[in-house]
Amino acid sequence: MTSSSQVIVVGTGVVGSVIAEHCLDAGLEVLMIEAGPRVSRAQIVENYRNLPLGAKPDATASYPPADWAPHPFHGLEHLESTGPNKYDPTYIRYAGGSTWHWAGTSWRLTPEDMQLRSRYGVGRDWAFDYETIDPYYNMTERKLGICGPADPADQWPVRTRSMPYPMPHLPLSQGERKFTEVMRDKLGLRNVPVAQARNSGMPYDDRPACCANNNCVPVCPVGAKYDAATSLNRLEAKGATILENSVVYRVETGEGNRIVAVHYYDRDKTSHRVTGEHFVIACNGVETPRLMLMSADDRNPNGLANSSDQVGRNMMDHPQQGYTFTTVEPYWLGAGPVVNSGIMETSQGDFRADHAAVYFRLNNFARNRDIAKRAMSSGKVGRALDEEIRRLTATSLNVVAAFEMLPDPNNRLTLSAQKDWLGLPRPSVYWDVGDYVRRSSAEYSNPLAQRIAEAVGATDFKPASPEKFSTSKHIMGGTIMGNDPATSVVDRHSRTHDHANLYLPGGGAMASTACGNSTITMTAMAFMAAEALVSEAKGA
Amino acid sequence: MNRRQLFLLGTAAMLANAMPSFTFAATQDIESRFMGASQLLVNHDLSPAVGARIAAFAQASYPNLGDMLDRITETAAARGASRVEDFFDAIPEGELRDFAFWVISAWYTGSSSGDRDATLFTYEEALLYQPTIDMVPIPTFGFSAPNAWGNDLYPLTDLPRF
Ligand SMILES: Cc1cc2nc3c(=O)[nH]c(=O)nc-3n(C[C@H](O)[C@H](O)[C@H](O)COP(=O)(O)OP(=O)(O)OC[C@H]3O[C@@H](n4cnc5c(N)ncnc54)[C@H](O)[C@@H]3O)c2cc1C
């Protein structure tokens, strides 16, 4: 069993994988430690196909957790939620992590998104500006294979790109094109093609082109979508060692508060200690702060990296509200990837001083499974039933409003008194989406959604309750980044202020959420961390 | 044990030996009656393998399954009907009508109910996907060549045949 390595990366999700590969390419020795099992794509596809219809919408149902690596799963209370709103993120503790079931939507932040405090007087500013992260966004788009529009009129953010996307955007289906035209003509809104980590019209990265299997969530059956599992063989070919089914439960400090080792349990609950020089904890925005808190020791009684008392605080997400409505004219969503276009321009404006911005995404999931109950309970049979299924599938639209959220120290991850299978404390999160979001729902997003519904000719629009929000599963904030060690956990390189050789890259470091899905930003920050680590390792 | 008791024991043993094939025959009988009634309620190409799975589930859930299947078949026969539209209204409301809807729903959704712990009969052969198969993929199955799915907006009226 490997007991030492120059670089130790905990977690084989997209963030850990990108850092590991950067280190390998620089000639460093890398050991990756992964809590979950390594599974085949075919197995996940079969799991999905074998689910009854009622379980198919659950993105996690195809991923039953291993006893030793529990993740949020129907019927298993891995994550406790307290507070006025329900915190209900999902993530996957398998080798490859949560990009197994991500949609691949990859919106960059705008320069304004990174300066909420100085521009609008709310939230926090980032430790660096857009120009600083721009090259790392380019690296991310190349590494993951993110396709996007070449026409500046269709790009987001609206600014000149420093590099083109590596692939053209995926075509919009006829229904998405129609929606785009209606939004433009009736509301003056731009519904633009989503930049997404999916192979468009060509193979890329040894993976095939997308053939519209419309199952990006919960699993792309052909691997046309990037997920970190697709990179693990390549990492091994480059020399990485990957230990799976190995749950890191303690990070050990030594002299000068440097990290000297991590401890993990194998699936027989046997403990192992691995020493190293540089440590990267990339377990995602819930499991990373949890591990920091679990690792409290005499030097760090409140948990590692926590001299600021900010570990686990400022938990953020994109709270969301869905609208399903029926139109008269057919839209025929469902051909192509499950998310393919959206309205981003509603996410910018001076109103952010008062309430949250919002992004509207037009979901492109095949509608059959969602309209089944309605069709089957219509009392229709025979040809009338077939026509009803066809009509409802073609004319039912699902639009989701995703809100930005402010960092609030009260939204806090702590260790629960409940224990998991290994005897480790479960994570518990206090969750309140906040008035900033609630105001946006009531005053901004609901009225906008109604106009969108009216524009497409919806006959049954219902406003969302300004009290009820679901979780987007974009886990952010719990190890927040900043220049000031008194108020933040990591620096601009995702390196902890408290431990010179410990990096906590990923969503936890994000200082603002904006509205767009955030993995591209997590990955760009991972590249920044990787560069810093490599130069440190090389003594630069 | 007297001779009569011995005889009875022997007969019981013979019956017991005969039981497996008796059960098999009964299962076959129910399956074909189930397919017969299904074909009347759902006028599409129906897979016997899927039908066998639905029938097995129905047998465990409806003690009077055989009787209900026969009554559906008889209702259609009384009207001389082979299309569901021509006799469905004659199925009495209540248990039998509910069962008829359940059978239709099982074929369309491929599941025993909408619950997340329902029994799955089939995924890709669930009829739910067929009325839109020209426009919408069955998720996980490929739909078009790369970037070739921007096809025309077909009218609602052109139902695919299935
Ligand atoms: C349904 C769904 C759809 C999504 N769609 C999008 C989208 O369209 N766009 C977008 O930007 N984002 C999306 N996301 C979010 C995206 O999946 C995450 O942001 C991303 O996967 C985070 O990457 P990560 O590497 O930080 O963490 P993860 O991918 O979660 O990887 C963490 C890894 O660490 C391992 N690990 C955890 N704890 C331990 C431990 N103690 N010891 C060892 N290993 C450990 C895990 O097993 C896992 O492999 C979606 C999420 C969900 C759930």
Side-chain angles (χ1 to χ4, degrees):
Chain A
M1 196 66 70
T2 316
S3 59
S4 158
S5 176
Q6 190 177 15
V7 179
I8 292 178
V9 178
V10 183
T12 58
V14 54
V15 168
S17 295
V18 157
I19 295 184
E21 188 159 19
H22 200 84
C23 293
L24 290 162
D25 289 345
L28 306 185
E29 180 198 25
V30 176
L31 170 69
M32 301 184 81
I33 309 181
E34 166 54 49
R38 209 153 158 185
V39 298
S40 75
R41 184 168 309 277
Q43 185 189 328
I44 305 299
V45 174
E46 278 311 293
N47 287 354
Y48 173 78
R49 288 179 177 163
N50 288 327
L51 292 173
L53 195 69
K56 281 196 157 73
D58 176 348
T60 325
S62 308
Y63 301 88
D67 288 339
W68 50 93
H71 53 241
F73 189 73
H74 180 72
L76 175 82
E77 285 290 314
H78 176 58
L79 204 157
E80 264 178 25
S81 170
T82 64
N85 294 105
K86 172 98 179 135
Y87 185 62
D88 198 15
T90 58
Y91 52 87
I92 306 292
R93 284 169 100 198
Y94 279 15
S98 310
T99 45
W100 267 108
H101 67 354
W102 76 324
T105 301
S106 297
W107 299 112
R108 292 180 174 207
L109 298 174
T110 67
E112 294 79 9
D113 292 340
M114 303 175 72
Q115 296 171 336
L116 289 188
R117 170 59 56 187
S118 46
R119 285 176 185 262
Y120 311 113
V122 297
R124 292 187 180 213
D125 283 353
W126 282 61
F128 49 80
D129 63 7
Y130 186 90
E131 298 308 327
T132 308
I133 199 173
D134 181 63
Y136 300 96
Y137 274 139
N138 290 335
M139 288 161 88
T140 302
E141 286 164 355
R142 267 150 191 74
K143 176 64 74 184
L144 272 51
I146 293 177
C147 69
D151 181 351
D154 280 341
Q155 289 172 349
W156 185 264
V158 185
R159 68 196 314 276
T160 308
R161 287 180 58 87
S162 55
M163 268 180 112
Y165 286 106
M167 280 176 281
H169 72 87
L170 289 152
L172 300 191
S173 65
Q174 283 280 354
E176 289 167 322
R177 287 215 284 277
K178 183 166 156 173
F179 182 83
T180 305
E181 283 162 20
V182 171
M183 290 303 106
R184 185 194 59 210
D185 298 345
K186 296 201 175 162
L187 301 180
L189 288 174
R190 287 195 315 137
N191 184 59
V192 294
V194 161
Q196 47 191 309
R198 198 177 329 284
N199 292 350
S200 171
M202 65 186 80
Y204 189 92
D205 189 28
D206 284 339
R207 294 178 287 109
C210 173
C211 287
N213 306 53
N214 197 249
N215 207 67
C216 328
V217 179
V219 60
C220 175
V222 298
K225 176 188 79 175
Y226 168 90
D227 59 54
T230 62
S231 69
L232 298 182
N233 288 345
R234 186 176 68 230
L235 298 195
E236 284 174 322
K238 290 185 177 187
T241 302
I242 301 178
L243 295 179
E244 64 241 35
N245 296 316
S246 305
V247 182
V248 173
Y249 67 93
R250 188 180 150 217
V251 179
E252 182 187 331
T253 60
E255 215 170 290
N257 221 4
R258 286 180 71 86
I259 307 304
V260 292
V262 297
H263 298 249
Y264 70 88
Y265 284 126
D266 64 22
R267 56 181 160 180
D268 299 321
K269 294 193 194 176
T270 305
S271 183
H272 305 262
R273 180 173 184 264
V274 184
T275 57
E277 294 165 25
H278 309 275
F279 294 82
V280 177
I281 309 296
C283 297
N284 81 32
V286 165
E287 296 295 334
T288 295
R290 177 189 180 209
L291 182 54
M292 290 301 99
L293 297 177
M294 286 195 307
S295 301
D297 59 19
D298 290 345
R299 284 189 195 88
N300 307 274
N302 297 324
L304 298 203
N306 201 17
S307 60
S308 62
D309 188 36
Q310 296 299 300
V311 169
R313 296 189 184 270
N314 308 302
M315 294 292 290
M316 295 182 283
D317 177 60
H318 297 123
Q320 58 180 32
Q321 298 186 311
Y323 302 89
T324 300
F325 36 77
T326 320
T327 58
V328 179
E329 298 266 307
Y331 271 81
W332 282 124
L333 296 172
V338 300
V339 179
N340 206 19
S341 66
I343 300 169
M344 280 304 273
E345 62 194 357
T346 48
S347 73
Q348 306 295 307
D350 290 341
F351 61 78
R352 295 167 94 179
D354 301 321
H355 63 73
V358 69
Y359 144 57
F360 290 97
R361 87 171 175 258
L362 175 63
N363 268 345
N364 190 42
F365 285 84
R367 301 292 302 151
N368 305 60
R369 76 178 181 210
D370 298 294
I371 59 89
K373 196 167 163 205
R374 236 170 113 189
M376 299 316 302
S377 59
S378 66
K380 294 182 173 159
V381 298
R383 191 177 169 88
L385 174 60
D386 294 336
E387 285 173 352
E388 184 69 349
I389 291 172
R390 191 168 168 85
R391 181 183 76 82
L392 287 175
T393 303
T395 60
S396 101
L397 265 61
N398 180 240
V399 173
V400 174
F403 299 85
E404 68 182 329
M405 191 175 164
L406 297 178
D408 172 357
N410 294 318
N411 280 327
R412 185 179 184 192
L413 181 145
T414 52
L415 299 179
S416 162
Q418 304 289 322
K419 299 281 181 350
D420 70 12
W421 187 84
L422 285 171
L424 306 174
R426 295 184 186 283
S428 174
V429 173
Y430 175 89
W431 195 240
D432 177 0
V433 300
D435 289 338
Y436 188 68
V437 170
R438 278 187 284 271
R439 257 198 314 278
S440 178
S441 168
E443 295 167 16
Y444 181 60
S445 143
N446 254 326
L448 260 171
Q450 180 159 6
R451 289 177 60 213
I452 290 172
E454 282 165 4
V456 297
T459 52
D460 53 358
F461 174 79
K462 273 197 227 74
S465 154
E467 297 301 321
K468 275 195 150 173
F469 298 84
S470 54
T471 318
S472 277
K473 298 122 177 118
H474 306 143
I475 309 167
M476 295 170 274
T479 49
I480 204 157
M481 177 185 287
N483 289 324
D484 183 355
T487 57
S488 61
V489 179
V490 296
D491 68 10
R492 55 169 49 208
H493 303 296
S494 303
R495 182 177 17 213
T496 59
H497 294 300
D498 296 357
H499 314 276
N501 61 344
L502 176 64
Y503 293 79
L504 309 179
M510 289 181 68
S512 72
T513 68
C515 295
N517 316 41
S518 42
T519 307
I520 183 177
T521 304
M522 302 178 195
T523 312
M525 290 193 296
F527 273 113
M528 293 174 77
E531 271 191 0
L533 191 157
V534 167
S535 63
E536 184 186 296
K538 301 226 156 181
Chain B
M1 196 177 286
N2 62 29
R3 281 185 62 189
R4 184 179 152 73
Q5 280 170 320
L6 259 177
F7 171 78
L8 280 177
L9 211 75
T11 315
M14 264 168 59
L15 267 177
N17 282 340
M19 272 307 269
S21 61
F22 173 75
T23 314
F24 178 67
T27 305
Q28 262 201 328
D29 175 55
I30 275 290
E31 275 174 19
S32 67
R33 279 151 81 198
F34 183 81
M35 284 304 285
S38 289
Q39 206 62 72
L40 289 164
L41 292 168
V42 181
N43 310 139
H44 293 298
D45 285 340
L46 301 181
S47 151
V50 175
R53 290 198 282 275
I54 307 177
F57 184 94
Q59 228 173 342
S61 320
Y62 296 95
N64 54 343
L65 176 66
D67 176 49
M68 290 204 288
L69 294 172
D70 293 344
R71 283 168 63 203
I72 288 170
T73 313
E74 285 156 16
T75 309
R79 289 258 181 109
S82 57
R83 288 179 353 124
V84 61
E85 286 90 341
D86 297 336
F87 75 95
F88 197 79
D89 62 316
I91 299 175
E93 282 191 27
E95 187 192 33
L96 197 62
R97 179 78 69 96
D98 292 348
F99 172 69
F101 273 129
W102 181 83
V103 172
I104 294 171
S105 177
W107 283 105
Y108 273 84
T109 65
S111 296
S112 61
S113 77
D115 296 342
R116 53 174 304 142
D117 58 352
T119 298
L120 180 86
F121 306 130
T122 177
Y123 172 44
E124 64 274 16
E125 291 184 274
L127 297 178
L128 181 62
Y129 305 102
Q130 293 303 321
T132 59
I133 201 72
D134 53 339
M135 287 301 293
V136 182
I138 303 175
T140 71
F141 292 92
F143 186 59
S144 77
N147 290 8
W149 52 80
N151 36 11
D152 294 334
L153 274 178
Y154 291 140
L156 289 176
T157 43
D158 281 3
L159 263 181
R161 286 175 175 277
F162 57 101

